[in-house]
Amino acid sequence: MLLESKEMAEDLLNSFMTGPDEKGRFGDFGGRFVSETLMPLILGLEAEYEKAKVDPDFSAEMDKLWKHYVGRPSPLYFCERLTEHFGGAKIYMKRDELNHTGAHKINNVLGQILLARRMGKKRIIAETGAGQHGVATATVCAKFGLKCVVYMGAHDVKRQSPNVFRMRLLGAEVVPVTSGRGTLKDAMNDALRDWVTNVNDTFYCIGTVAGPHPYPAMVRDFQSIIGKETKEQMLEQEGRLPDTLVAAIGGGSNAMGLFFPFLDDLNVNLIGVEAGGKGVNSKMEHCASLTGGRPGVLHGNRTYLLQDDDGQILEGFSISAGLDYPGIGPEHSWLYEKGRAKYVSITDSEALAAFQICCEFEGIIPALEPSHALAHVAKISSDLPKEHIVCMNMCGRGDKDIFTVAAALDFDMEIIS
Ligand SMILES: *Cc1c(COP(=O)(O)O)cnc(C)c1O
């Protein structure tokens, strides 16, 4: 009995899956750096989430919606031609781009909106950068007849007009944010401000593994369906676990969702791919928070951030609007310092090349975000043995990106008409 509990205690110590602690910290990262006015809201949310997590009715409702509304499980697809083309490791894709609304965002939005319904909240607010999280939130709000307000940087409203129109069609109000530089970081600040002033009826639906505790852990839990399915499907198709998992990182939610169920499978390599923009050595024209930033506090948690010598947050740059968040989820900062996961960066031009290869060899038009993951897969696969299994998360489809890609390739859309 004594031995058993000692072994159990050691297992717990050796596990990467027990975090965060009761203060919401993953080692030195995470936590709850918020004003006193926000504290009761966050504690209320945490209490409700703890209850929902162990309520079988809550998981049953999630499962039903994932199946019939989102289209889960998403397939695990063996990329025969890419494997042949790169001439090394076996390449698989987890096809989360096939989800309703075209990316992984809806996995998490459904969870949070079901929670909001449990709490009797009738008004949902969200921040969005490229617009994918805003569209997913507007979608689920329409489905449940909830009021939806989306904060979006004025700069992003201009460059992502199709997504702004989608949100409006879905009945959401889109608020352009002009404070700061008018980007995702400022939209998140305004959403937090709205939450404090509309305490009673409002639920804040955050789009990635960022924000104050419990958001990073909660969003990770909802996105972990990606890794859970991948594990089951890989065992079914290959009879064993993959050797390497690769995912693109903006705030880090799709990567955390893929990695989490594998954290204690120490033989599985985990690789997060940050947006290298014009190169990590270029003068801040990238979004690689881990590779090019240092720890600081933003949006209620401590994590690696892009900042100048005075601690001012810098705006990132990437061809992919969905990756230009200046921070990264605190759990990634911890996994990075622990050495459990590895983080690399891929430049715009490498991502563009991978985008084209994916279209031509697999008949899949990928979003620019997972094109970064694929570019890294391309880099490592040919040197790996044929029995090595690499699996990347195809976290979004590329319909939203075709105009950006056309411009980058100097393709004149006018010729077609
Ligand atoms: C939003 C988005 C991302 C970046 O967010 P994470 O939280 O890092 O997953 C990546 N890919 C796609 C397709 C997205 O829509």
Side-chain angles (χ1 to χ4, degrees):
M1 193 60 208
L2 198 69
L3 185 71
E4 197 177 289
S5 60
K6 186 166 164 257
E7 274 178 358
M8 276 167 66
E10 275 175 6
D11 277 353
L12 220 58
L13 272 180
N14 292 330
S15 175
F16 284 98
M17 296 173 75
T18 53
D21 66 17
E22 70 285 354
K23 291 190 171 142
R25 289 177 312 206
F26 300 92
D28 287 338
F29 303 104
R32 255 198 282 244
F33 296 82
V34 297
S35 62
E36 259 169 64
T37 34
L38 258 186
M39 208 56 186
L41 290 171
I42 289 182
L43 291 174
L45 170 66
E46 184 184 16
E48 191 66 36
Y49 179 54
E50 289 303 319
K51 269 193 270 168
K53 246 192 333 198
V54 292
D55 179 352
D57 289 344
F58 184 77
S59 8
E61 201 175 359
M62 285 289 288
D63 287 346
K64 198 167 127 193
L65 288 164
W66 270 337
K67 184 169 175 193
H68 299 291
Y69 192 64
V70 178
R72 304 207 72 93
S74 66
L76 179 70
Y77 167 68
F78 172 53
C79 304
E80 201 173 336
R81 290 196 67 218
L82 278 183
T83 299
E84 203 177 290
H85 179 64
F86 296 134
K90 259 182 131 163
I91 300 166
Y92 277 86
M93 279 175 190
K94 177 62 173 160
R95 301 286 307 277
D96 252 53
E97 98 280 13
L98 294 175
N99 293 338
H100 180 40
T101 69
H104 62 287
K105 296 279 186 342
I106 197 163
N107 300 331
N108 160 52
V109 168
L110 267 179
Q112 290 196 49
I113 302 272
L114 288 187
L115 207 57
R117 276 163 56 84
R118 281 171 76 102
M119 297 173 82
K121 307 282 184 185
K122 299 267 186 296
R123 178 176 177 269
I124 309 297
I125 58 171
E127 83 294 338
T128 200
Q132 291 300 103
H133 175 60
V135 168
T137 307
T139 298
V140 180
C141 283
K143 187 201 153 23
F144 286 113
L146 298 166
K147 184 171 166 50
C148 179
V149 179
V150 180
Y151 288 89
M152 187 171 189
H155 181 63
D156 290 329
V157 168
K158 267 198 210 123
R159 22 173 212 178
Q160 306 289 335
S161 54
N163 272 343
V164 176
F165 186 52
R166 273 186 196 109
M167 289 184 261
R168 297 222 163 115
L169 284 173
L170 292 160
E173 180 192 343
V174 180
V175 182
V177 173
T178 49
S179 59
R181 304 254 310 255
T183 57
L184 175 58
K185 167 177 69 72
D186 310 302
M188 200 152 169
N189 283 333
D190 274 24
L192 282 163
R193 231 168 273 147
D194 176 313
W195 201 21
V196 182
T197 37
N198 296 286
V199 180
N200 288 325
D201 66 336
T202 297
F203 184 98
Y204 181 17
C205 180
I206 296 187
T208 190
V209 283
H213 178 63
Y215 283 101
M218 181 173 72
V219 176
R220 171 202 72 196
D221 292 347
F222 291 140
Q223 290 293 2
S224 291
I225 185 70
I226 301 172
K228 185 171 163 263
E229 286 176 7
T230 301
K231 207 167 191 178
E232 288 167 9
Q233 291 165 320
M234 195 59 87
L235 286 172
E236 200 180 293
Q237 293 181 40
E238 286 282 350
R240 67 175 180 93
L241 297 183
D243 299 292
T244 302
L245 296 175
V246 184
I249 296 206
S253 70
N254 86 86
M256 219 44 248
L258 177 67
F259 295 172
F260 188 70
F262 293 92
L263 286 184
D264 285 340
D265 299 303
L266 299 181
N267 291 328
V268 179
N269 304 309
L270 309 174
I271 306 177
V273 185
E274 298 192 294
K278 294 183 180 161
V280 178
N281 297 325
S282 67
K283 225 170 171 275
M284 284 329 289
E285 290 192 275
H286 65 81
C287 285
S289 319
L290 280 178
T291 337
R294 61 194 160 80
V297 172
L298 177 68
H299 297 141
N301 74 90
R302 184 171 186 276
T303 192
Y304 273 78
L305 302 170
L306 296 178
Q307 48 189 317
D308 66 15
D309 294 340
D310 301 327
Q312 290 292 321
I313 306 302
L314 296 168
E315 300 294 333
F317 173 85
S318 165
I319 188 171
S320 150
L323 297 182
D324 61 7
Y325 181 62
I328 180 166
E331 195 168 6
H332 284 293
S333 293
W334 177 71
L335 292 171
Y336 168 70
E337 291 210 338
K338 285 272 166 202
R340 174 64 189 98
K342 192 176 135 186
Y343 297 84
V344 298
S345 70
I346 281 293
T347 64
D348 287 354
S349 52
E350 290 169 324
L352 261 176
F355 177 100
Q356 289 169 276
I357 287 175
C358 189
C359 295
E360 288 166 24
F361 281 81
E362 294 295 346
I364 294 170
I365 301 180
L368 280 167
E369 294 88 355
S371 298
H372 286 71
L374 182 59
H376 188 69
V377 169
K379 242 183 208 178
I380 59 173
S381 308
S382 46
D383 290 334
L384 291 168
K386 290 201 185 316
E387 13 2 301
H388 191 104
I389 300 173
V390 175
C391 177
M392 63 156 282
N393 192 20
M394 179 53 73
C395 57
R397 63 178 90 125
D399 312 36
K400 69 181 174 63
D401 292 322
I402 55 169
F403 295 101
T404 307
V405 173
L409 298 177
D410 286 327
F411 182 83
D412 186 356
M413 287 288 204
E414 299 290 320
I415 304 174
I416 303 174
S417 55

